[in-house]
Amino acid sequence: MSTISRIFRTFSTSVVKSPAKTIYDELYKERNLKTVVQKFKKLSQSHLFRKQANVYNNTVHRLASAKKHKWVEEILEDQKQYDDISKEGFAIRLISLYGKSGMFDHAHKVFDEMPERNCLQTVKSFNALLGACVNCKRFDKVDEVFKQLPEKISVKPDIVSYNIVIKAYCEMGLFELASSMFDEMRCNGINPDLVTFNTLLIGFYGNGRFDDGEIFWDKMMNNASISPDIRSYNARLVGFVHEKKLTKAVDLIENLGCLKPDEFSYNAIINGFCNNGDLEEAKKWYTKLVESDSAPNKATFATLIRFASKMCDFDWAAELFKQSFEQKCVVDPYVMQLVIDGLVKESKTEEAKKLVGIGKSSKVRRYNLMMPADE
DNA sequence: AAAGAGTGAC
């Protein structure tokens, strides 16, 4: 579920600003998902509607997050009646939407049906299928698709294909295979790009393979055609934090040159100080984040509210609690309840009641937080 | 219209 949210995150945020938002307001404002399905199918009859990729992303995301996979199937299968399905781009959209919804067999079926719909299978739809393996965590299928399919359908894997396979190996914890794929792609005349390096850096630094991370960091720095971006630096920050090298991490975030730290950079540092039990530094870096061009997000609040509660700084926890609502960040109710319980324990009953009220009235997410006496 | 890289964790 959290994986699904992450995969769709880019789309749902862009949808907010998209003009489709106003045109299809009726669909977005509908709270009843069964009605959403009916309305979506009705709207799909319009050729113009079917061009709106964002409406598809948004709707499928809503249904998949609510675990209504039958309804995802209902709206996506319904699309096959339109001529658009013989265009590769439309098939790719269905494959990737099924993939993001965790429905691998459906994704594979759309791919398999392409020839009978006179739709050419190029490396792009091949990559969409490969991506669906990873998004559905069907790692057993990755090798099968990557090693057998290209020959069957006469496509040549490209840089995107290799990047997807490298990500799959990193997620499987098969770091040696991820490294060897990096060598193999170069033998096949495909040069690693920024995505390749960032995938490997995140895989290594994020999983306790600091030394391997450093090897690829050096390779990237020595590669004249690659300019590391903030994601590359953030991966290394996470690596330093894992290694408990906080001085190194702080030095890195303060010396990014022309790059600007983002919320992921700050979160990495904040995580480090929380793990060290350093309340003062955690507060300091939270303030820096608030004063920066970025804003704290769900992960920031989840970490800090939990940490402040653990350190019994319930005044700060309450402050963060309120901030998280102002920023419309949805944090696990269990963490929010920690703050209420802590305030009550310190006899700050009025403040606790106030927070319960904020939770009940929130439009972002209605929390059913309780005063300990209610339980 | 269309494929690939990220944060927490009872």
Side-chain angles (χ1 to χ4, degrees):
Chain A
M1 167 102 166
S2 67
T3 311
I4 287 174
S5 318
R6 208 178 316 130
I7 293 166
F8 277 99
R9 191 185 52 226
T10 338
F11 304 118
S12 38
T13 48
S14 60
V15 155
V16 174
K17 294 160 205 151
S18 144
K21 166 87 178 167
T22 46
I23 304 169
Y24 303 112
D25 235 19
E26 189 198 339
L27 195 60
Y28 291 129
K29 284 196 177 145
E30 177 58 56
R31 298 329 293 172
N32 183 317
L33 292 178
K34 181 73 193 157
T35 315
V36 166
V37 170
Q38 299 314 323
K39 285 185 176 171
F40 191 94
K41 285 165 72 178
K42 189 99 200 295
L43 287 162
S44 297
Q45 292 169 5
S46 151
H47 176 247
L48 284 173
F49 177 85
R50 296 199 300 274
K51 287 191 170 185
Q52 303 295 322
N54 271 338
V55 194
Y56 281 68
N57 287 323
N58 180 291
T59 307
V60 171
H61 178 215
R62 283 180 69 188
L63 297 173
S65 316
K67 299 201 163 70
K68 305 291 183 192
H69 294 98
K70 269 283 161 211
W71 291 345
V72 172
E73 179 183 42
E74 191 172 335
I75 65 169
L76 295 187
E77 291 302 307
D78 180 64
Q79 303 300 312
K80 291 182 178 174
Q81 64 181 291
Y82 303 108
D83 287 347
D84 311 46
I85 192 68
S86 56
K87 298 276 187 289
E88 191 185 16
F90 198 76
I92 288 172
R93 191 197 292 171
L94 299 188
I95 293 168
S96 82
L97 286 170
Y98 271 135
K100 286 164 188 159
S101 305
M103 301 165 76
F104 181 73
D105 294 337
H106 289 78
H108 208 318
K109 189 158 167 276
V110 175
F111 183 83
D112 287 341
E113 290 167 349
M114 289 173 74
E116 67 200 53
R117 297 183 201 280
N118 291 319
C119 186
L120 194 66
Q121 292 163 321
T122 73
V123 69
K124 291 185 182 177
S125 42
F126 168 75
N127 288 342
L129 182 64
L130 202 51
C133 299
V134 180
N135 286 337
C136 297
K137 303 217 173 291
R138 287 293 299 271
F139 298 124
D140 55 315
K141 293 282 174 186
V142 173
D143 274 338
E144 191 182 309
V145 170
F146 185 68
K147 298 211 168 111
Q148 292 165 22
L149 206 50
E151 207 172 335
K152 273 192 207 158
I153 62 167
S154 315
V155 301
K156 195 173 167 290
D158 65 4
I159 178 72
V160 176
S161 323
Y162 281 101
N163 289 346
I164 297 169
V165 172
I166 287 174
K167 183 181 179 205
Y169 286 146
C170 287
E171 288 206 4
M172 285 189 265
L174 302 174
F175 299 108
E176 289 75 15
L177 280 178
S179 293
S180 64
M181 199 49 74
F182 178 86
D183 298 327
E184 190 181 316
M185 66 193 282
R186 291 193 299 173
C187 288
N188 291 330
I190 293 167
N191 286 322
D193 66 2
L194 183 58
V195 176
T196 318
F197 279 104
N198 285 351
T199 305
L200 285 162
L201 294 174
I202 290 161
F204 287 124
Y205 284 130
N207 289 288
R209 311 282 294 218
F210 184 80
D211 295 340
D212 291 321
E214 290 291 88
I215 289 171
F216 279 96
W217 179 266
D218 291 339
K219 283 186 201 211
M220 178 179 66
M221 287 307 190
N222 291 326
N223 187 324
S225 52
I226 306 277
S227 311
D229 66 359
I230 191 62
R231 288 185 182 207
S232 326
Y233 281 88
N234 288 346
R236 194 162 187 241
L237 280 175
V238 168
F240 281 138
V241 168
H242 268 249
E243 292 291 294
K244 303 207 176 297
K245 293 177 175 163
L246 281 181
T247 319
K248 290 261 190 196
V250 169
D251 187 56
L252 188 62
I253 195 176
E254 285 176 342
N255 292 290
L256 290 174
C258 56
L259 294 172
K260 245 196 294 187
D262 63 10
E263 64 269 38
F264 293 89
S265 329
Y266 288 101
N267 284 354
I269 303 283
I270 288 171
N271 281 330
F273 287 117
C274 289
N275 292 339
N276 273 3
D278 194 332
L279 190 61
E280 203 174 312
E281 285 292 321
K283 279 188 185 182
K284 185 179 124 191
W285 283 92
Y286 173 72
T287 307
K288 282 190 193 231
L289 167 55
V290 170
E291 287 168 356
S292 76
D293 292 334
S294 307
N297 61 15
K298 199 177 131 181
T300 322
F301 288 118
T303 305
L304 287 179
I305 294 173
R306 179 188 299 276
F307 179 60
S309 302
K310 190 180 157 203
M311 303 299 281
C312 295
D313 187 344
F314 293 106
D315 293 333
W316 190 38
E319 183 60 34
L320 291 165
F321 183 112
K322 289 182 232 167
Q323 288 291 325
S324 77
F325 278 96
E326 278 172 33
Q327 303 271 339
K328 302 193 195 319
C329 291
V330 178
V331 176
D332 191 337
Y334 166 81
V335 177
M336 301 307 241
Q337 187 66 48
L338 289 176
V339 186
I340 313 280
D341 295 352
L343 287 168
V344 170
K345 222 172 269 170
E346 295 193 341
S347 308
K348 293 170 178 163
T349 320
E350 284 314 305
E351 181 72 353
K353 280 185 185 161
K354 212 164 115 190
L355 297 192
V356 170
I358 293 174
K360 277 202 180 22
S361 65
S362 167
K363 287 196 179 85
V364 186
R365 164 168 182 166
R366 209 149 303 145
Y367 284 96
N368 196 17
L369 302 172
M370 285 181 289
M371 294 297 286
D374 301 342
E375 289 174 58

